[in-house]
Amino acid sequence: DLEWTFAHALIRDVAYGRPSRADRASRHEQIGRWMEATSRDRMTDVAEVLAYHFGEAIRLQSDPSEELRSRGYAALLAAGARASRLDAKRAIELYRQAADAAVTDAERGLALIEAGDCAATREELEEFGAAAEEIFIRLGDVENQARARGLTGTALWFKGETEEAERHVDESLALIADRLESMVGAKGLVDKASILWRTGRVAESEAVIDQARPIVERYGGASTRMYLLHVHAGNLLSMGDLSGMEITRQVLGMALDRGESTRAASSYNGLATHLLFFEHVDKVLEVVDEGVEFTRSRGMKGHEEWTRMTRFESLFPLGRMQEILDEIDDLLEQRSEEHTSELQSRPHISY
């Protein structure tokens, strides 16, 4: 089938500029419906274009129908999922639009959780987690309430409030105590194991890993399985078992192969942090540079910052203070152009 596009944005603007808003909305909706009908075998490939047309149709109408909003919501969710592999910032934009297009509160809450899963800054995690949790508390949906609470728990971890973060994880698990054998239960248990590992309680963390492993294998999906391996590798290295290094490398490779950008970003930073204790600093910096390039190319600002901060840890023992200070100045300048985050307090400590 033929597909048509404008040769230049100016031509598009002129073509769309003449009709009324109602006519433009109608045309966008017609194009969206035509694409749905003719692209069923490759919907993933056209997801963002489809989302654009339905999104414009919704935006241009003062009172879009529920049917149109439902079509737009589905298209925007699909486009967000596709974008999450390549551009986290774009994915969040699409999920926000999906939340706005949602017909029901439940749909809105799910779109907010998907946006939160792409977030890597405290502000975004708090925003999406709190909004989604409020919705699912009102709806009495404890599984999705637990998912939303997990986002706010991660935000607390970013703020350095480890006890509060752990309390959030424990409360999330308590909400679903009678349904731990689920996707949400699998993720919640690994969250618990992760906090135990990061706070030095390795034996407790491994006990939770053992509890979680069969649930993760059955319900967790590839992303949660990689998460579990990542935490297990950290525990092994904390106990001096260098096999954890190879597991971390395997998780990174799996994440890159599957296009799991968030897991890959975490694995880059985790691998660099582990290498600090076992390899020459040049190897650490090589992994840091790869991680920074990867996260920057995908708009993952939070993960980029954390990985760059690992560079500080690498350079400090070498006395390369000017490089550290230059990097800090660059990070603070970026933040001043965007918005304040937990990062601002950390570089001042280094100064």
Side-chain angles (χ1 to χ4, degrees), residues 148-169:
R149 196 155 186 77
L151 295 175
T152 54
T154 302
L156 289 166
W157 176 265
F158 278 10
K159 291 167 68 176
E161 298 180 15
T162 55
E163 291 185 3
E164 278 297 296
E166 185 171 359
R167 183 175 66 81
H168 267 62
V169 171

Side-chain angles (χ1 to χ4, degrees), residues 23-145:
D23 287 341
R24 287 158 59 199
S26 177
R27 292 181 187 184
H28 279 296
E29 183 174 355
Q30 289 172 15
I31 292 171
R33 289 176 179 272
W34 174 80
M35 291 184 68
E36 276 187 331
T38 58
S39 306
R40 294 191 183 281
D41 58 342
R42 54 192 184 91
M43 290 298 288
T44 301
D45 295 334
V46 300
E48 188 153 358
V49 180
L50 190 62
Y52 167 73
H53 285 294
F54 280 137
E56 284 295 284
I58 292 169
R59 184 182 68 83
L60 291 166
Q61 293 187 32
S62 58
D63 186 23
S65 68
E66 287 193 1
E67 181 192 6
L68 175 58
R69 288 168 61 193
S70 292
R71 289 175 183 271
Y73 176 82
L76 287 159
L77 276 188
R82 180 177 172 82
S84 68
R85 297 172 176 265
L86 299 170
D87 186 340
K89 183 177 180 180
R90 177 60 179 154
I92 289 172
E93 289 175 1
L94 290 163
Y95 285 133
R96 283 188 189 277
Q97 292 177 45
D100 291 339
V103 174
T104 67
D105 285 345
E107 289 178 345
R108 176 174 173 77
L110 289 173
L112 292 170
I113 286 177
E114 294 295 341
D117 284 341
C118 294
T121 67
R122 170 174 57 83
E123 295 87 353
E124 289 173 337
L125 286 161
E126 287 179 330
E127 174 194 352
F128 297 129
E133 185 174 7
E134 187 277 328
I135 289 171
F136 290 118
I137 288 174
R138 181 158 34 84
L139 295 178
D141 183 338
V142 294
E143 285 198 16
N144 282 311
Q145 182 187 341

